[in-house]
Structures are given as structure tokens and as C-alpha cells.
Amino acid sequence: MQRIKLNVFKSWFDKNLTGKEIDFLLVLSFYQDKRGVTRGVYYKDMMREGKMSAQTFYDCKKSLTEKGVISSVEGQDDYDITLIGNDFTIYEKEDYEEGKVKYLSTTYHLFRDPYFRTLKPKQKLLVMDLLNIQMAGRPNGVNTYRIYRENFIKKYANIKQNDGTKSKGLLDITVRTLQKYFKLLKHYFSVSLKNGMYFFIIKKQICKIRSKSYNGKSHHNTASSKGSVPQK
């Protein structure tokens, strides 16, 4: 189940996640079962998949548990890790067909992109949110995402109101910082500004589905000698 419930993903904006914590969660989503449980997680597998050190693995597991994002059960030399709230067993086929299940798919090449791993945490969340708007839960994404510049800024950046109060954006960053993010956004989207409105079109190579060798029945081919990449 390479999916993250939309409400689970949205909660990450308030968790003060690090870049490596986001990478950790994405790797879990690659191999989780329908209950959101990734079984037999071995630190060396996470090191390889998440491009992190052994110490970073243990630091992320600890901090994400403290933040209420995951829970884990320790085995002999590995862990069963649950992405809290990411249980899809309550849904039936009809729920998906009727569009009732809102989720962010992690099947896209974007999440294996080396450049994506180098982004700052809030940059990653912004890219993921824009990807979700175009692609989440749909067999085909919308062709173009359009949003007025003023609304885009209000959505993601902190704005000082006329009365002196400040409204907090999703990313809790300044307008200037948000503007600087456009350079990286153009790595994944075609971006234009016309008549005060931003137009975002996701690049085709980013939204391609990953090879089957990374999911389902055949992902165990990437396992380490411990054989600990989760089996479905």
C-alpha cells in the first residue's frame, strides 16, 4: 500500500519534521501493509532505502515516536513500525470508486529522486502538497493547478494583517522564503504567472509510476542479507 492518507500527510505540517524524518516515513509507506504496518524493518535496509546512517535511523525512529507519528514493536533484531492513522482496511472497493478515499500516492518517481532527498523539510512538504493536488487518489491528475498568487502566499506563508496580527501559513515561513522556493519547484513543475494567477503543471517524468521491482510481490529482491525488507 504505497499510500499516505491525506489527513495523515496534512498533520506533518505541524510536526516540525526533519528532512530525514520525512524520508523515513516515505520508505515506510513503500512497504507497509493495508493497516499501515511495515514489518521486519532492519536498520541496514532503512540506511540503503532512505540514504541515512545507522544513527539517523535510530534517531528518526525515536523522534517520530515521540511526535506521535509512528509506533514500533521491537523484534529480535528488527522492528514492526506502524504509521499511525494510515489504516486502509476500513475502505471497500466502492469507496475508492466513489472517490471517498483521499490519499497521497508514493508510487511516483519523485520519491526516489536524489534531488528530492536534498531538499529542506518544508520544501519537501510543499512539493508533496502540490503533487497531491494534481495526482492524489486519481488515476489521472488534473492538467493544470491554478491558484491566485495572493491565495498561494496566504496558504503557505505567514502574512501580517492590517491590524498587526499575523496569519500563519501551512509552511510557517516568510513570503520572501516562499518566493525563493520557486527555483526548486521548477525542477518538478512548469510554473507560470498570468494575470495574478500561478499555473502549475507537473512534469511527466516526475509523475511516472515506479517500476514494479520496488513494490508488491517483487520488492524483496532488494532485501539485504538479513532478509528484513518487509514481506507483504
Side-chain angles (χ1 to χ4, degrees):
M1 291 293 290
Q2 298 175 78
R3 300 169 180 173
I4 301 169
K5 281 187 179 180
L6 192 54
N7 66 317
V8 172
F9 166 64
K10 291 293 187 181
S11 73
W12 294 1
F13 285 87
D14 297 319
K15 298 293 186 180
N16 195 28
L17 299 178
T18 67
K20 283 303 180 184
E21 286 174 342
I22 294 173
D23 294 342
F24 188 103
L25 294 171
L26 288 172
V27 173
L28 292 181
S29 77
F30 297 159
Y31 300 115
Q32 66 186 341
D33 61 22
K34 290 184 178 181
R35 296 184 180 278
V37 182
T38 310
R39 304 185 187 280
V41 180
Y42 182 55
Y43 77 95
K44 286 188 177 180
D45 293 318
M46 186 62 76
M47 289 173 63
R48 182 187 66 251
E49 293 277 351
K51 302 296 186 288
M52 63 182 66
S53 67
Q55 187 59 53
T56 299
F57 165 78
Y58 290 108
D59 289 345
C60 286
K61 186 175 70 66
K62 181 177 183 292
S63 59
L64 288 169
T65 300
E66 292 172 345
K67 292 176 181 180
V69 181
I70 65 170
S71 62
S72 65
V73 177
E74 186 173 358
Q76 184 175 353
D77 56 5
D78 56 20
Y79 301 86
D80 290 346
I81 302 178
T82 300
L83 182 52
I84 296 174
N86 212 44
D87 188 346
F88 285 86
T89 60
I90 61 175
Y91 301 115
E92 302 293 340
K93 180 180 178 181
E94 292 75 16
D95 295 319
Y96 289 95
E97 292 174 346
E98 296 172 9
K100 294 180 180 180
V101 188
K102 306 299 181 182
Y103 62 88
L104 170 66
S105 173
T106 57
T107 59
Y108 303 114
H109 278 294
L110 165 69
F111 299 112
R112 297 276 183 173
D113 177 34
Y115 179 69
F116 180 79
R117 297 197 187 264
T118 68
L119 300 182
K120 296 177 181 179
K122 292 182 180 181
Q123 293 172 338
K124 289 181 179 181
L125 292 176
L126 176 58
V127 171
M128 292 169 69
D129 197 45
L130 291 175
L131 172 72
N132 165 70
I133 291 170
Q134 294 203 342
M135 303 300 296
R138 305 184 181 97
N140 298 296
V142 296
N143 292 326
T144 304
Y145 172 48
R146 297 176 291 178
I147 183 172
Y148 281 107
R149 180 179 182 276
E150 180 181 359
N151 293 338
F152 182 84
I153 292 173
K154 286 181 178 179
K155 179 177 181 180
Y156 293 109
N158 300 332
I159 303 294
K160 188 175 182 179
Q161 306 297 331
N162 293 331
D163 60 3
T165 60
K166 185 176 71 173
S167 62
K168 181 181 176 181
L170 276 176
L171 296 176
D172 192 17
I173 57 177
T174 65
V175 175
R176 184 176 181 180
T177 298
L178 180 60
Q179 291 174 335
K180 291 181 179 179
Y181 284 3
F182 272 87
K183 183 177 181 180
L184 72 92
L185 287 178
K186 290 179 181 179
H187 185 80
Y188 299 112
F189 303 89
S190 296
V191 184
S192 60
L193 177 63
K194 299 178 181 178
N195 300 321
M197 181 176 286
Y198 283 124
F199 293 77
F200 295 90
I201 303 175
I202 193 167
K203 295 183 177 179
K204 290 183 179 180
Q205 65 268 29
I206 299 303
C207 60
K208 288 181 180 179
I209 303 299
R210 292 201 320 268
S211 167
K212 290 183 179 180
S213 63
Y214 289 117
N215 58 39
K217 296 180 180 179
S218 61
H219 73 252
H220 63 272
N221 291 332
T222 66
S224 69
S225 59
K226 295 289 293 185
S228 56
V229 171
Q231 302 297 308
K232 299 242 181 154

